[in-house]
């Protein structure tokens, strides 16, 4: 059965004082085979149909946690200043290579939907520094590359910064200094070290090294309702199957173990999972399915 927008239910959600606000930042495309690793196309194309270049539709979706006192954003998409950030040669090809659609949603449009501007954001949590998660965190202003959110503290795992600063050969095309050097220059980057409970009250980091070193999932809870921002550990609702992992993952067996741990908690305790890259829903609940897991219900929050 295909996963289509019509199958996702509308649901509003609050956790403590925070309103849960999805922040679509734009659609792009990635190779379907790379997104599903060893899973045959005949299986994944049922829910994620590819284009003529074998790219599947992807969302770069952040999450805003909005309260009277804080406006907390988790991840911020690809950004848009590709030439000044990545150089003339790569920058000009970037949008074409990844099928970026400038006519769709953007970070600024999504913030405006909630009557916010970049200056209103108090905190930015980055799961990791791959360009499709952190690219929107810096921008060119007045001819200078600066943090996009001038009044925010940014949060990142120290291990991921170290990884991005000296990337392995497989990840060189995903980590760019322009996405983190301005944060260091302006001294707005707070580095976390390992699993960290309540680094912001109600917000905890769960480290995963299977996709890339120092990736962090973010668990938000008030003791009654819990949401897990999955990042690239479970990028879409299709990836809740344990063996459905990405070709981009550095250590497939490790990420399967990490997925098993968080999906077990999600299934047993009724967590909401929030998906960064699923174009057909932004969240879901899951259930155990024999020795595996399956989607229980999909939602638009």
């Amino acid at each position: 059965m295909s996963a289509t927008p019509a199958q996702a239910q509308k649901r509003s959600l609050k956790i403590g004082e925070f309103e849960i606000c999805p922040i679509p930042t734009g659609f792009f495309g990635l190779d379907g085979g790379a997104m599903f690793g060893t899973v045959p196309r005949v299986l994944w194309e049922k829910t994620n149909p590819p284009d003529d270049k074998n790219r599947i539709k992807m969302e770069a979706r952040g999450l805003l946690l909005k309260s009277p006192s804080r406006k907390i954003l988790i991840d911020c998409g690809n950004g848009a200043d590709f030439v000044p950030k990545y150089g003339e040669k790569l920058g000009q090809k970037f949008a074409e290579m990844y099928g970026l659609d400038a006519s769709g949603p953007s970070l600024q449009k999504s913030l405006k939907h909630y009557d916010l501007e970049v200056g209103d954001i108090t905190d930015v949590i980055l799961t990791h520094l791959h360009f499709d998660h952190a690219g929107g965190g810096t921008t060119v202003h007045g001819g200078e590359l600066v943090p996009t959110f001038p009044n925010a503290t940014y949060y990142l795992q120290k291990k991921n910064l170290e990884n991005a600063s000296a990337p392995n050969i497989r990840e060189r095309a995903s980590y760019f200094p322009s996405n983190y050097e301005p944060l260091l220059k302006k001294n707005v980057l707070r580095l976390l070290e390992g699993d960290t409970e309540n680094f912001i009250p109600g917000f905890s980091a769960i480290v995963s090294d299977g996709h890339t070193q120092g990736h962090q999932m973010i668990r938000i809870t008030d003791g009654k309702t819990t949401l897990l921002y999955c990042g690239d550990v479970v990028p879409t609702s299709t990836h809740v199957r344990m063996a459905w992992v990405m070709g981009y993952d550095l250590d497939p067996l490790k990420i399967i173990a990490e997925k098993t741990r968080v999906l077990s908690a999600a299934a047993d305790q009724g967590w909401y999972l929030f998906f960064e890259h699923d174009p057909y829903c932004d969240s879901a609940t899951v259930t155990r399915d024999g020795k595996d897991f399956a989607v229980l219900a999909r939602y638009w929050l």
Side-chain angles (χ1 to χ4, degrees), residues 2 6 16 20 60 63 66 83 92 96 106 110 120 126 133-134 136 143 163 167 223 241 246-247 283:
S2 295
I20 306 302
L63 178 63
K66 182 182 177 186
V83 171
Q92 288 185 347
E96 178 184 353
S106 70
S110 293
D120 297 316
L126 299 174
H133 298 257
N163 189 32
R241 293 290 182 184
M246 296 186 286
S283 60

Side-chain angles (χ1 to χ4, degrees), residues 13-16 220-227 270-272:
L13 197 63
K14 286 196 72 175
I15 298 179
I220 307 109
T221 188
D222 59 6
K224 296 180 180 178
T225 302
T226 299
L227 180 145
W271 295 2
Y272 290 88

Side-chain angles (χ1 to χ4, degrees), residues 66 78 90 135 238 246 263 287:
K66 182 182 177 186
N78 289 290
L90 176 59
T238 312
M246 296 186 286
L263 290 175
T287 185

Side-chain angles (χ1 to χ4, degrees), residues 25 73-82 85-86 107-108 118 121 123-126 128-140 144-155 176-184 186 188-189:
T25 71
L73 181 66
I74 307 177
D75 278 359
C76 43
N78 289 290
D81 304 321
F82 304 132
K85 290 178 75 171
Y86 304 144
L107 176 62
Q108 285 74 14
V118 293
I121 301 300
D123 306 88
V124 178
I125 304 169
L126 299 174
H128 60 304
L129 289 170
H130 282 171
F131 66 80
D132 54 319
H133 298 257
T138 62
T139 191
V140 176
E144 181 186 5
L145 195 56
V146 297
T148 301
F149 307 95
N151 301 313
T153 298
Y154 288 66
Y155 301 82
F176 297 98
S178 53
N179 289 330
Y180 59 84
E181 286 183 345
L183 310 181
L184 294 169
K186 296 294 184 180
V188 297
L189 187 60

